[in-house]
Amino acid sequence: MGFLSQKSEGEVTSTGQTPDIEQDPTTHIETSSAQKWHLSSKASDGDTALALFDNPSDLHEAISPADERALQWKIDLMILPYLAVCYAFFYIDKTTLSYAAIFGIKDDLHLVGTEYSWLSSIFYFGFLAWAFPTNFMMQRFPIGKYLGCNIFMWGVFLMLQACARNFTELAVLRAFSGAAEACSDPSFMLITSMWYTRRQQPVRIGIWYTANGLGIAGGGLMGYGIGHIKGSLPSWKYEFLIIGALCSIWGIVLFFFLPDSPVTAPLLTQKQRRWAVERLRENQTGVENKHLKRYQVVEAFKDPKIYLFFLLGVVGNIPNGGISNFGTLIIKGFGFSTLVTTLMQVPYGIFISISILVCVFLNDYVSRHGWQSRCYFIILFLLPNITGAFGLAFLAANNRAGRLICYYLTGPYNAAFVMILSLQTANTAGHTKKVVTNACLFLGYCTGNIAGPFFYRNDQAPRYQLGIWSMIVSHLLEVVVILTLRVLLSRENKRRDKLQGIGESEDEEVKLERERERDRTAFSDMTDRENLNFRYIY
């Protein structure tokens, strides 16, 4: 696998050779102008970032500290506000059914038995069915445009839910909504990995994921306001119409204003684009590659990490599937009125946002001192959830204040999931492999969210004992999986250090040669298992 440079007329040529990687003689060079979806048996073409560089020495273009700070602020303003607002809508959407439940949708649509739980889960069946196709389409098409189109359609399907007359119609529309949202988190992770270094990624993921909590708080305020609308329609229909319309408008904004890549960002000069990409050299994960590479798909499924991330998706979201759909019903069971119940979600959302920011900035502080801490921070921010779930399981029903505090303590699992997302983006290289691993993580996410609501049985309302115990067991299993992942990644780093002689006495020439080798592999679109210069973060 060589370092590939891209010339002005679009021809891609190899200018170097990476040792220890076997070249496949059957591979051929692709032209960058060819936009066909290419199935490659081996990685024969590099990253799109190579269009900005003529040779490896360009990767060390000088940038002053002032220019670097200005560029960082510009990138943050170009990316984070769009993702944050979009993520707030994601969570508001997930709670629309929960608010509709307390606004009378069960009676109006004559929902009986487990039909409400099915409506909660069927959204994720649509997500599950479209997870792999949408991830591959994100690789093929400009990611900002593709995300904008999906968010627009997602809002349309949400508005149409106000027209549903029975369980079947609402179920079909919720499945389509889930399919439209299937690109959301994976696209956000790809965008974050395109623009930020691995050390910066947890903080940036935390910033846009913080909007999750703001979405809960905003959803509570919107629910309170919608509950006061005295129109010709039931309140739950206004919930779907208003939020769906806002989502569609935001999809149009994303389509026109969210940049697709640092290589083509219209608001950056050519020099700023090179600077933006050069910052990512240390990642060894590249920016993107538009060719679907079959060998990377195969490697992804041979890598144990993909199954651990799938399990983390499952056990991390069984609690989410329950709380996001039954949270308002749990709070109402404490004895609050319908409208007060909507307001009680506001401090819950704010607490989630604060938890996420505390988690990512503490992790950033620790990582600046060279400590591998992400897995430990995941466990640390699972402890309040486990404590809160035990409180909900054992506190007396008349202890309303204590049970409400315990409910709020279930919020910091969002901070733990942010760190899980950062683990995935930091530890997978090769664009096709990243796409496949993202899809599998969110297959687990869907599975957990599908299963979660079914632990909340109507005959156990409002305490939902089985649902609360599902949270406890899931989080304990999550701790086990996280520790397993940390051990595997740590051992692999030590093995690679030993193979490359890192830590032993080295002269300056050896260090320079290693740096030149890292330049050659930085944008070669090699996978993390192919690239011996890659080191895992845990």
Side-chain angles (χ1 to χ4, degrees), residues 189 309-310 313 417 420-421 424 437-445:
M189 292 167 67
F309 282 123
F310 173 79
F417 194 63
I420 290 171
L421 297 182
Q424 204 290 102
T437 308
N438 279 351
C440 285
L441 170 61
F442 285 99
L443 286 177
Y445 168 90

Side-chain angles (χ1 to χ4, degrees), residues 278-303:
E278 199 280 334
R279 294 160 61 252
L280 307 181
R281 182 176 60 89
E282 64 185 76
N283 287 5
Q284 295 287 310
T285 58
V287 177
E288 66 175 344
N289 182 288
K290 290 299 184 183
H291 296 159
L292 177 67
K293 298 179 180 177
R294 184 166 48 203
Y295 89 96
Q296 291 194 12
V297 177
V298 173
E299 181 184 308
F301 285 105
K302 289 182 177 179
D303 191 336

